[in-house]
Amino acid sequence: MSAPMKVGAVVITMGNRPDELRALIDSVAKQDGDPVRVVVVGNGSPVPDVPDGVRTVELSENIGIPGGRNVGIESFGPGGRDVDILLFLDDDGLLAHHDTAELCREAFAADRDLGIVSFRIADPDTGVTQRRHVPRLRAADPMRSSRVTTFLGGANAVRTKVFAEVGGLPDEFFYAHEETDLAWRALDAGWMIDYRSDMVLYHPTTAPSRHAVYHRMVARNRVWLARRNLPAVLVPVYLGVWLLLTLARRPSKSALRAWFGGFREGWTTPCGERRPIKWRTVWRLTRLGRPPVV
């Protein structure tokens, strides 16, 4: 019998939700099987009091969500190699069940091509899963598990071999679309991604636009995502479709102004190394229900 896969958890915090953070850590501690090792990264802030045995890293400045999570990954050794699986959990979330870590171990052990698992996010009071939290186009039934082409940043598990092979999250994104960037690189390397409705993170219902930088970052990073990862012929198609979708949603004038500012910034600023995905990966994305033009 092989040893059970070792699981770690990365949580980043701004230090402003100490009660929620403690509740999350307690839910991780209650997981069945071998204990899950936890690292909490204070992203430009001190880390609130945490239980004994939880490691902490305090950064002098806020380096963004992907940057903070990358620091957490490296806390488990280069590329997270000291563990087999890393959970990434929002600091105001809560694992709903005690078997999530064990389900992750079973899923990764059973499918050697599985690289990432996206959890279902549900409101703790209503149990409702928002449509935007189902990482596929056909999102009407959040209880249906399936293969997908991206994942949810604050509610997922990643096999650490993925980081060793394709690298971590893109630091420069700061916020928005960093998960899709990693997902496309992982799929291009042959890994698969699953959405699992039975792995649940409770999280209060919120709107992404609560972040002041939301519209700008979404637009800028969408351009960066395309410039970094798509075959050249698909870049204008992908961005043209998203321009039309944005206009169809009829955002406010201030939101649209911020969006176009970010869109322009995405074309005029460096986006990191360009590594276009293979055409066979484009076909794989298409077969999975989300061609990389939408």
Side-chain angles (χ1 to χ4, degrees), residues 8-12 36-41 53-57 71-73 75-76 86-87:
V10 173
V11 182
I12 61 173
V36 177
R37 296 159 56 185
V38 179
V39 167
V40 178
V41 178
V54 174
R55 286 184 289 166
T56 62
V57 180
V71 169
I73 294 168
S75 298
F76 290 95
L86 276 175
L87 312 181

Side-chain angles (χ1 to χ4, degrees), residues 16-241:
N16 56 349
R17 294 189 281 241
D19 295 338
E20 292 89 339
L21 175 62
R22 175 59 73 107
L24 170 65
I25 293 171
D26 288 346
S27 74
V28 175
K30 293 175 182 176
Q31 292 298 298
D32 299 336
D34 290 348
V36 177
R37 296 159 56 185
V38 179
V39 167
V40 178
V41 178
N43 211 354
S45 68
V47 175
D49 290 338
V50 294
D52 292 341
V54 174
R55 286 184 289 166
T56 62
V57 180
E58 294 185 352
L59 304 177
S60 60
E61 62 178 317
N62 181 356
I63 62 173
I65 293 173
R69 287 184 177 141
N70 283 336
V71 169
I73 294 168
E74 295 302 308
S75 298
F76 290 95
R81 68 184 182 190
D82 294 345
V83 293
D84 303 298
I85 302 164
L86 276 175
L87 312 181
F88 295 88
L89 307 170
D90 277 350
D91 69 340
D92 56 345
L94 184 77
L95 288 175
H97 309 301
H98 294 180
D99 63 351
T100 302
E102 280 290 86
L103 289 173
C104 286
R105 290 186 182 100
E106 292 170 5
F108 286 113
D111 184 354
R112 64 182 182 181
D113 293 329
L114 181 61
I116 303 171
V117 174
S118 189
F119 301 166
R120 180 168 63 89
I121 294 178
D123 184 273
D125 297 321
T126 66
V128 171
T129 295
Q130 292 179 274
R131 188 180 182 91
R132 69 184 182 88
H133 283 152
V134 182
R136 59 175 179 247
L137 290 179
R138 296 178 180 176
D141 182 9
M143 301 307 295
R144 179 173 67 88
S145 299
S146 68
R147 294 283 200 199
V148 289
T149 61
T150 188
F151 62 99
L152 307 174
N156 67 80
V158 181
R159 191 192 298 265
T160 53
K161 286 182 179 179
V162 173
F163 299 126
E165 187 167 349
V166 306
L169 296 155
D171 287 346
E172 56 268 52
F173 278 40
F174 196 85
Y175 163 76
H177 301 318
E178 65 271 10
E179 302 92 354
T180 301
D181 187 89
L182 176 61
W184 285 0
R185 286 184 282 126
L187 288 163
D188 198 49
W191 297 102
M192 300 301 292
I193 305 170
D194 279 356
Y195 166 73
R196 288 281 298 264
S197 64
D198 57 337
M199 301 182 189
V200 181
L201 184 85
Y202 283 148
H203 189 283
T205 298
T206 56
S209 54
R210 71 191 186 279
H211 298 291
V213 297
Y214 171 76
H215 297 287
R216 170 178 156 251
M217 291 292 192
V218 162
R220 184 198 69 179
N221 292 359
R222 183 80 68 185
V223 178
W224 280 0
L225 178 69
R227 289 176 58 198
R228 285 163 59 96
N229 294 288
L230 289 181
V233 69
L234 292 183
V235 172
V237 179
Y238 177 80
L239 295 175
V241 167

Side-chain angles (χ1 to χ4, degrees), residues 236-254:
V237 179
Y238 177 80
L239 295 175
V241 167
W242 276 102
L243 172 61
L244 293 175
L245 287 173
T246 299
L247 294 174
R249 291 168 179 168
R250 303 178 68 181
S252 67
K253 288 183 179 180
S254 61

